[in-house]
Amino acid sequence: MAAILCENCSGQYRYTQVNQPLEINCVLLLIMFGKVFLDFFTLQVKQKNVKVSFMGYFCVSLALLDFTLLMSISFIFHFEDFALWGVRFTKYHICLFTQIISLTYGVLHYPVYLLAGLDYYMTIAQTSQFPKRGQRLLYVFAVVVIWISGLFFILKVPAVYEELEIQNRFSPYQCPLYASVQSYSVSCAMVLLIGMALLACRKDVLTMLLSVRVASFASQPVLMFSYVSNNNGTCFKWQLLTRLLICFLGTWAPFVLLQFIVLFLGARIPAYMEMNVPWLYFINSFLIAVAYWSRCHDVELTDEMWSTDPFVSWKFCFMPFNNENTEPADKPGAVIVIC
């Protein structure tokens, strides 16, 4: 059955099946409950005063869709066999709905990351933005279009439809779920790029890490790095890359390590679990860092410029900070960067 799906699909839309018995619907419910809790917990703990963005709206829509899926399969699991609006629902629909969601999630990684990257690249250096209402409507429209497009793509691909029909007829006791090749390739690319950046900046990263110390700023503990400023444009980009890496890994190092372990073990995570809000905000920070580095000379040092990322503060990667409200520096007159 996997061969039917792969023969008629392009390479980027192939999937790896993860067979699960239908009897473990209760486990599926627990997994979805945990995922929904994690989604809404992440949305709750993130910084609230951030600029609107496509990725922010997409994360909210993903959390709502996960919640809708959880409520639907919970309702079916409780009543087991019932009819609604002339349609009969059984426990098999728990598997069917999860399959459709997994397939839809699996084909949205590339378009979502591409749109989010373009959004940040075009808006990261803007001081004047679209009117708030118009910008929000634009993002809402883009999110709705991308969800509808993904769902219609999955339901209209003949091979996917045939696969679901075959599973419905001949595999009533198994529920094959799918791991997206798109997500796997994105993970490989991110680990490779981060590894190459660390290798290229290994000396600067090591020097900055050795100079780190804890200081007090605005009544909060911060990490302070000493460095000598350089006005050369090329050196500035390399120093900026070092600081971006430290800021990014300072927040998301556990996710990078988890990616490396998953790739090393060759584990395949079902797509309905793989796309979640924490993962999207991890990708979001990576895209913001790329946008900052590629347009570093266009970035203006304004307060509004730094309210882009809900989890990582990039402000001090750009702005040399005089130590007026901090402890004295190790070397008098040294410029301080706080990440």
Side-chain angles (χ1 to χ4, degrees):
M1 286 179 287
I4 295 176
L5 181 62
C6 292
E7 286 174 358
N8 299 311
C9 295
S10 61
Q12 61 178 329
Y13 298 118
R14 296 180 183 178
Y15 299 90
T16 300
Q17 291 189 1
V18 182
N19 290 327
Q20 295 182 352
L22 191 63
E23 287 80 0
I24 64 169
N25 284 333
C26 56
V27 177
L28 178 60
L29 277 174
L30 290 176
I31 292 174
M32 283 303 305
F33 178 80
K35 184 189 177 188
V36 169
F37 174 80
L38 188 63
D39 287 347
F40 282 97
F41 176 78
T42 305
L43 292 175
Q44 182 63 31
V45 300
K46 72 180 182 67
Q47 297 180 24
K48 301 299 187 295
N49 297 324
V50 294
K51 294 191 295 186
V52 295
S53 65
F54 168 79
M55 184 65 87
Y57 276 86
F58 187 83
C59 287
V60 173
S61 69
L62 177 65
L64 293 177
L65 188 58
D66 283 340
F67 180 76
T68 302
L69 176 64
L70 175 63
M71 292 296 100
S72 300
I73 62 179
S74 299
F75 194 81
I76 296 173
F77 184 80
H78 178 72
F79 291 99
E80 295 187 358
D81 192 346
F82 64 96
L84 182 64
W85 297 319
V87 180
R88 183 186 176 189
F89 292 91
T90 65
K91 278 191 173 181
Y92 179 75
H93 286 86
I94 295 177
C95 173
L96 181 63
F97 290 161
T98 308
Q99 283 181 318
I100 294 174
I101 289 296
S102 292
L103 291 168
T104 304
Y105 285 1
V107 300
L108 291 184
H109 290 275
Y110 288 169
V112 168
Y113 303 156
L114 178 62
L115 286 177
L118 289 174
D119 177 36
Y120 286 126
Y121 184 81
M122 292 186 296
T123 62
I124 202 74
Q126 285 184 356
T127 55
S128 60
Q129 301 177 344
F130 296 125
K132 289 287 184 179
R133 186 174 182 180
Q135 192 174 14
R136 292 175 187 274
L137 289 176
L138 178 61
Y139 288 141
V140 170
F141 176 76
V143 168
V144 172
V145 168
I146 202 169
W147 278 119
I148 293 177
S149 301
L151 185 61
F152 270 83
F153 175 83
I154 289 301
L155 295 180
K156 292 298 182 180
V157 172
V160 175
Y161 182 78
E162 291 174 7
E163 178 75 7
L164 295 176
E165 284 293 315
I166 292 173
Q167 291 295 334
N168 191 13
R169 292 178 183 176
F170 302 110
S171 301
Y173 300 106
Q174 294 212 350
C175 184
L177 301 175
Y178 301 90
S180 173
V181 172
Q182 288 188 10
S183 178
Y184 184 80
S185 61
V186 169
S187 295
C188 290
M190 286 190 62
V191 170
L192 181 62
L193 290 174
I194 293 172
M196 292 174 60
L198 282 173
L199 185 63
C201 303
R202 60 188 182 278
K203 292 183 180 179
D204 292 335
V205 170
L206 183 60
T207 301
M208 291 190 70
L209 289 178
L210 290 176
S211 70
V212 66
R213 67 188 183 91
V214 179
S216 176
F217 172 71
S219 301
Q220 293 183 351
V222 296
L223 296 179
M224 188 162 60
F225 301 89
S226 303
Y227 78 100
V228 179
S229 60
N230 193 317
N231 295 326
N232 184 281
T234 304
C235 291
F236 169 73
K237 292 206 73 171
W238 282 110
Q239 290 176 357
L240 176 61
L241 179 60
T242 301
R243 285 173 251 154
L244 290 172
L245 278 171
I246 291 176
C247 285
F248 178 78
L249 293 177
T251 302
W252 297 110
F255 271 70
V256 177
L257 179 62
L258 179 62
Q259 277 191 97
F260 179 80
I261 293 174
V262 170
L263 293 175
F264 179 78
L265 297 177
R268 296 291 188 172
I269 303 173
Y272 77 94
M273 296 171 55
E274 203 168 30
M275 180 176 279
N276 52 73
V277 172
W279 166 259
L280 289 179
Y281 276 122
F282 167 66
I283 298 290
N284 185 64
S285 295
F286 181 81
L287 294 174
I288 290 174
V290 172
Y292 273 137
W293 191 73
S294 59
R295 300 200 62 187
C296 58
H297 297 292
D298 299 323
V299 173
E300 297 184 16
L301 305 181
T302 61
D303 291 336
E304 189 180 22
M305 188 64 59
W306 314 118
S307 58
T308 304
D309 196 318
F311 289 97
V312 181
S313 176
W314 306 102
K315 178 177 182 178
F316 301 104
C317 290
F318 285 87
M319 189 168 61
F321 200 78
N322 294 325
N323 54 338
E324 297 175 356
N325 298 320
T326 64
E327 301 288 338
D330 289 337
K331 296 181 180 181
V335 183
I336 304 299
V337 169
I338 306 175
C339 297

